[in-house]
Amino acid sequence: SVDADTYVILTSDNGFHLDQWGMARGKGTAYDSDIHVPLVVVGPGVVPGVRDGAVSNLDLAPTLEELAGLPESDFRSGTSFVPSLTDPAAPGHRYVFVEHSWSGEQPGDPDAVDAELATIPTYVAVRSAAGLLVRYDVDRRPGHVAYVWELYDYAGGTGEATNVFGRPGAATLQQQLRDRLRAFLACRSATRDDAVSQECRQVGE
């Protein structure tokens, strides 16, 4: 048991796809089965109910720092979602970003449960309630890039069953997500312990 001053946070590691999209077991994609995980918080002042905002695992550390009364770390890329705990209507992220770097199967890799992990190319993706945009780099040669794209329209009812990238009916969603992805990629200059600008912290808002 815990006392009344304790926060309890329940979440998980990546999800796990099991033959969706014709792929064997794994968790390296940007699809819903692999990146959408539970997040439940209870504790003093937390108002019960579902929140509409998106949360990334990068947001956990600044949230815990704020709950513990610690100063904000300027090298954090994420932002605290503490305001939404007491106010379900508080604005939160509208976008979250996902990155995956291809490295093949490494000896002893616990995620290398089959050959699928080695086939997923490097990608960067942005997700919102409206859709998912994934930019794959399919050229594995150092210093080379060759991009292919996937776009899924959640609001349009097709989910992740149909890639609508380049289709006229998805032009607005495609442009919106590409603009947000460009803003995210423009923030890559900050590395390791470098301070992250406020603009880059808010790129998901």
Side-chain angles (χ1 to χ4, degrees):
S1 65
V2 296
D3 62 30
D5 293 325
T6 302
Y7 290 91
V8 177
I9 300 176
L10 170 67
T11 187
S12 89
D13 191 9
N14 300 63
F16 206 76
H17 64 255
L18 297 167
D19 294 326
Q20 291 97 326
W21 314 282
M23 301 180 72
R25 298 178 301 160
K27 60 178 186 177
T29 75
Y31 304 138
D32 189 77
S33 63
D34 294 21
I35 66 168
H36 191 184
V37 298
L39 176 63
V40 179
V41 182
V42 296
V46 177
V47 177
V50 176
R51 308 308 194 254
D52 291 331
V55 173
S56 165
N57 57 4
L58 296 177
D59 300 324
L60 293 175
T63 299
L64 293 173
E65 286 176 338
E66 182 171 350
L67 290 175
L70 299 174
E72 183 180 81
S73 299
D74 60 5
F75 59 85
R76 301 275 188 220
S77 295
T79 57
S80 170
F81 56 85
V82 166
S84 71
L85 298 181
T86 55
D87 179 8
H93 292 322
R94 292 181 296 152
Y95 305 93
V96 291
F97 304 91
V98 186
E99 293 182 285
H100 170 80
S101 296
W102 181 87
S103 60
E105 287 194 50
Q106 303 299 314
D109 187 340
D111 295 333
V113 295
D114 51 49
E116 291 287 3
L117 185 68
T119 67
I120 300 170
T122 293
Y123 68 77
V124 59
V126 57
R127 174 189 173 113
S128 71
L132 168 69
L133 177 69
V134 189
R135 188 196 74 180
Y136 296 97
D137 181 2
V138 295
D139 191 335
R140 293 173 177 163
R141 295 175 298 169
H144 294 76
V145 293
Y147 296 140
V148 296
W149 298 83
E150 289 180 343
L151 175 66
Y152 297 102
D153 183 356
Y154 298 151
T158 59
E160 294 170 351
T162 304
N163 181 6
V164 297
F165 187 86
R167 296 190 181 185
T172 299
L173 175 65
Q174 180 173 311
Q175 188 63 51
Q176 179 188 58
L177 293 179
R178 286 190 80 167
D179 288 347
R180 192 58 55 162
L181 193 59
R182 288 190 188 99
F184 171 74
L185 293 172
C187 292
R188 284 185 163 181
S189 59
T191 60
R192 299 181 66 86
D193 294 338
D194 294 343
V196 178
S197 70
Q198 192 64 23
E199 181 181 5
C200 288
R201 287 173 183 263
Q202 296 173 339
V203 72
E205 295 181 2

